[in-house]
Amino acid sequence: MSFVLAIDQGTTSSRAILFRSDISIAATAQQEFPQHFPASGWVEHEPEDIWTSTIATCREALKKAGVGPKDIAAIGITNQRETAVVWDRATGQAVHRAIVWQDRRTADICARLKSEGHEPAISARTGLIIDPYFSGTKVAWILDHVPGARARAERGELLFGTVDCYLLWRLTGGKVHATDATNASRTLLFNIHTGQWDDELLKLLRVPRSMLPEVRDSSAKFGDSVGELFGGPIAIAGIAGDQQAATIGQACFSPGMIKSTYGTGCFALLNTGATPVASKNKLLTTIAYQLGGKRTYALEGSIFVAGAAVQWLRDGLGIIKQASETGPLADQCDSSQSVYLVPAFVGLGAPYWNPRLRGALFGLTRNTGPAEFAHAALESVCYQTFDLLAAMRADWPDATAASTVLRVDGGMTASDWTMQRLADLLDAPVDRPMIQETTALGAAYLAGLSAGVYPEPTKFADNWRLEHHFKPAMSQATREKKLAGWARAVKGLLASDEG
């Protein structure tokens, strides 16, 4: 049994990656599924689409590698984190489409909770801010808007789970209703200090305790898949939310280590060890992983627009045909121009958390063209990362610039130009790993650790391999001038009517 199957269930597609015992990849499969937008700011998934695409990709990966269930030591699951599913305990039928993490329909609920003064207590217990991003208010919305749902939930007939929990329940034929601590920590219902569902929070958000899954370690024997799915049972032995799984895949096991994932948005996590650090700079305090009953914490910063800025250049402006053109185009920009893009297309995330802001360009001249737009778009991702790391260092002084190496992954990291500029503006090294599938690798590692395929974290960290080390090469004067220009641009946007 030398293989581990990682399920990577994402926002727009489901993927399955089969890892060997030496963490090399044996096979991959991917399948996109439909997105539903029933109203402005609403985003939904059909739970059955999540399930069928997940099973289809798992079967395809096994077929490609020519392996069967007896060859697989364990399954690990990683998932889009805050998406909420409510389903019937008896039939497994969802009572409503899954409400996706991007969905903003519960903004009014969140505003009411804030106006009633609940945010300090909620933040102290959960490490989170009150925002529609998280699952708790989504569950309350489903119970209030699906006819009869609240009464059924009170009778114990309905279950709630994040996507990992829903997949686990389906994989085990309804035998196991459980999640891991990382996913639980993103619900607004979980006390990250006690490691338990919090009765006060459940009462405040009006979510019955009977709906909730058992919370376990991230690496644990959760159950076995039913035999008919893959031709025989397979142990499910690891679960983590996608950003925490990437942190594990990047082997960020020591306090002070930081990983940053660049996809549509960007998520940076700083390992703070056994201590949950309460942010004074609007970062989130979250559980990085839980092993052997011990929680390791992290500070997390979320940027809403990273790769989406490149998509805007391609699909919105039409100045590139594919993402790989952006770096070479940016390299042709007129160095005498200082053009700044603040990509607040859907507001700004950490450390500003201002949903009302909209994007803006500063410093345009008659000579500003495609090269300057590309340059500004790529630099905007670097500047936003700088803001996150500055907030992290302010919250946790042990994370000094001198000792910080940023481990990066995600689609945007393929751009050498962007990664070099990131190192320059952070004034810190940026390391890109050999294995870019860090999210799936993290899920595989957690499952393989429980199943005895992979070693303890410190030894697993020895397997991490560097593909490219980007060292800062920009002069201090240039860096300071650029960062000051970015700060002025953000300040100008915050001072606008939208701000």
Side-chain angles (χ1 to χ4, degrees):
M1 298 203 302
S2 54
F3 295 91
V4 177
L5 177 62
I7 292 171
D8 183 357
Q9 204 300 303
T11 309
T12 57
S13 70
S14 299
R15 304 168 72 232
I17 302 184
L18 198 61
F19 288 90
R20 299 184 183 93
S21 57
D22 63 356
I23 71 170
S24 63
I25 293 172
T28 68
Q30 181 168 357
Q31 188 175 310
E32 293 190 0
F33 59 88
Q35 310 289 301
H36 301 277
F37 308 99
S40 177
W42 293 25
V43 190
E44 296 178 350
H45 292 157
E46 194 61 65
E48 205 62 30
D49 291 339
I50 292 174
W51 169 246
T52 55
S53 60
T54 296
I55 295 306
T57 54
C58 288
R59 288 171 175 162
E60 187 184 339
L62 299 187
K63 187 177 177 184
K64 280 183 177 176
V67 301
K70 290 183 178 172
D71 303 306
I72 299 169
I75 294 171
I77 301 172
T78 184
N79 56 290
Q80 46 167 321
R81 293 178 297 180
E82 296 82 6
T83 298
V85 190
V86 175
W87 67 95
D88 185 295
R89 184 190 293 272
T91 66
Q93 197 68 34
V95 302
H96 190 275
R97 282 182 183 152
I99 302 182
V100 180
W101 59 272
Q102 298 160 315
D103 190 285
R104 309 300 292 176
R105 78 186 65 187
T106 63
D108 289 345
I109 299 174
C110 293
R112 178 178 55 77
L113 290 169
K114 284 184 181 180
S115 70
E116 291 171 357
H118 294 299
E119 187 158 57
I122 288 177
S123 293
R125 294 174 189 224
T126 66
L128 309 175
I129 62 171
I130 296 177
D131 192 86
Y133 179 33
F134 305 108
S135 325
T137 57
K138 302 184 200 308
V139 187
W141 189 95
I142 290 173
L143 295 183
D144 286 337
H145 288 81
V146 173
R150 185 163 289 284
R152 292 179 66 201
E154 297 286 358
R155 291 196 299 268
E157 296 172 12
L158 301 184
L159 299 177
F160 152 67
T162 42
V163 168
D164 61 296
C165 177
Y166 173 70
L167 289 177
L168 176 66
W169 196 87
R170 294 288 298 261
L171 284 164
T172 60
K175 287 191 178 71
V176 183
H177 185 45
T179 187
D180 91 301
T182 70
N183 279 294
S185 76
R186 312 296 293 191
T187 60
L188 278 182
L189 303 171
F190 187 74
N191 189 315
I192 62 170
H193 309 284
T194 65
Q196 304 289 328
W197 298 115
D198 191 289
D199 286 326
E200 290 297 318
L201 298 175
L202 294 175
K203 185 178 174 184
L204 184 63
L205 292 176
R206 298 165 58 242
V207 175
R209 180 177 269 277
S210 61
M211 298 181 74
L212 299 175
E214 179 190 345
V215 181
R216 301 183 187 174
D217 283 355
S218 306
S219 177
K221 177 72 185 289
F222 285 88
D224 293 315
S225 66
V226 290
E228 57 265 29
L229 288 173
F230 308 118
I234 305 172
I236 300 148
I239 292 178
D242 53 9
Q243 300 309 320
Q244 286 94 336
T247 304
I248 293 160
Q250 287 277 34
C252 292
F253 295 117
S254 301
M257 294 185 78
I258 304 177
K259 78 88 202 175
S260 194
T261 300
Y262 295 91
T264 302
C266 161
F267 297 85
L269 269 76
L270 164 68
N271 183 327
T272 63
T275 308
V277 176
S279 177
K280 296 182 177 70
N281 295 282
K282 296 188 179 178
L283 300 177
L284 306 177
T285 307
T286 197
I287 294 174
Y289 50 86
Q290 181 173 306
L291 300 175
K294 293 182 180 175
R295 291 179 292 282
T296 295
Y297 296 92
L299 279 170
E300 176 175 330
S302 311
I303 295 168
F304 296 148
V305 174
V310 176
Q311 291 170 334
W312 173 66
L313 295 177
R314 184 192 66 197
D315 304 335
L317 300 185
I319 65 175
I320 55 167
K321 288 198 171 106
Q322 50 195 31
S324 58
E325 298 170 25
T326 318
L329 183 60
D331 217 20
Q332 299 168 25
C333 104
D334 176 3
S335 60
S336 69
Q337 294 190 50
S338 295
V339 179
Y340 290 91
L341 167 66
V342 185
F345 303 140
V346 289
L348 279 181
Y352 305 102
W353 286 106
N354 189 325
R356 296 180 305 281
L357 288 175
R358 291 298 173 258
L361 278 157
F362 293 85
L364 302 183
T365 74
R366 282 289 299 273
N367 290 329
T368 301
E372 287 72 36
F373 281 129
H375 189 273
L378 294 182
E379 279 200 331
S380 74
V381 178
C382 305
Y383 290 129
Q384 290 179 99
T385 306
F386 174 87
D387 288 345
L388 286 187
L389 266 61
M392 286 176 172
R393 288 167 185 152
D395 280 336
W396 201 62
D398 290 354
T400 60
S403 66
T404 300
V405 177
L406 184 68
R407 290 188 171 179
V408 296
D409 55 79
M412 281 196 86
T413 64
S415 167
D416 287 358
W417 191 96
T418 310
M419 293 303 100
Q420 182 57 53
R421 186 51 52 98
L422 183 61
D424 289 341
L425 291 171
L426 296 181
D427 195 22
V430 170
D431 283 356
R432 186 170 64 197
M434 291 288 287
I435 294 182
Q436 281 285 297
E437 301 289 357
T438 54
T439 304
L441 177 59
Y445 171 68
L446 291 169
L449 173 65
S450 177
V453 176
Y454 298 134
E456 292 300 308
T458 49
K459 290 192 173 156
F460 175 71
D462 294 338
N463 292 324
W464 188 90
R465 292 287 177 269
L466 177 71
E467 187 268 334
H468 198 108
H469 180 72
F470 296 90
K471 291 194 295 188
M474 185 179 280
S475 73
Q476 186 176 343
T478 302
R479 181 185 309 110
E480 288 177 356
K481 182 182 176 187
K482 282 179 162 292
L483 291 169
W486 167 255
R488 281 195 302 273
V490 173
K491 190 176 179 182
L493 190 56
L494 289 168
S496 68
D497 285 346
E498 287 81 4

